[in-house]
Amino acid sequence: RRMVSVRKKYPVLTYGSYSQIETEHEYLFSFVRQMEKEKLLILLNFSNHTVKFPIEDRLLYQPLIGNYGELGSSVLRPWESVILKSNI
């Protein structure tokens, strides 16, 4: 239900441009959805291991939603998915 609410509040998730982010982790899927001034970063860890964020400056983003509730440090926990909103 929370994800449906986020999707309705942020049309960029449906209608924004899509740019995949290449990472060195084979089980980390990350991409950006952008529309006009709105930019969201989506991170998905498809493994049983923790994975470090591929973000230069995490302070430029605020967490919107994730499957663990609160976002941890600069590491995605096993099977964690998170949507971050750009502050710029």
Side-chain angles (χ1 to χ4, degrees), residues 2-42:
R2 286 182 37 221
M3 185 57 209
V4 171
S5 171
V6 168
R7 190 180 52 143
K8 287 180 180 179
K9 185 175 180 180
Y10 297 95
V12 64
L13 282 169
T14 305
Y15 303 110
S17 64
Y18 169 89
S19 300
Q20 187 169 345
I21 300 170
E22 297 296 326
T23 69
E24 59 188 51
H25 304 285
E26 71 176 299
Y27 296 108
L28 178 64
F29 186 66
S30 55
F31 60 96
V32 171
R33 296 297 301 244
Q34 190 165 358
M35 187 170 73
E36 298 171 8
K37 294 181 181 181
E38 197 158 49
K39 180 179 177 181
L40 300 180
L41 174 62
I42 294 86

Side-chain angles (χ1 to χ4, degrees), residues 49-60:
H49 308 285
T50 58
V51 176
K52 187 166 173 53
F53 275 24
I55 301 174
E56 295 288 326
D57 189 353
R58 188 170 170 274
L59 297 177
L60 298 177

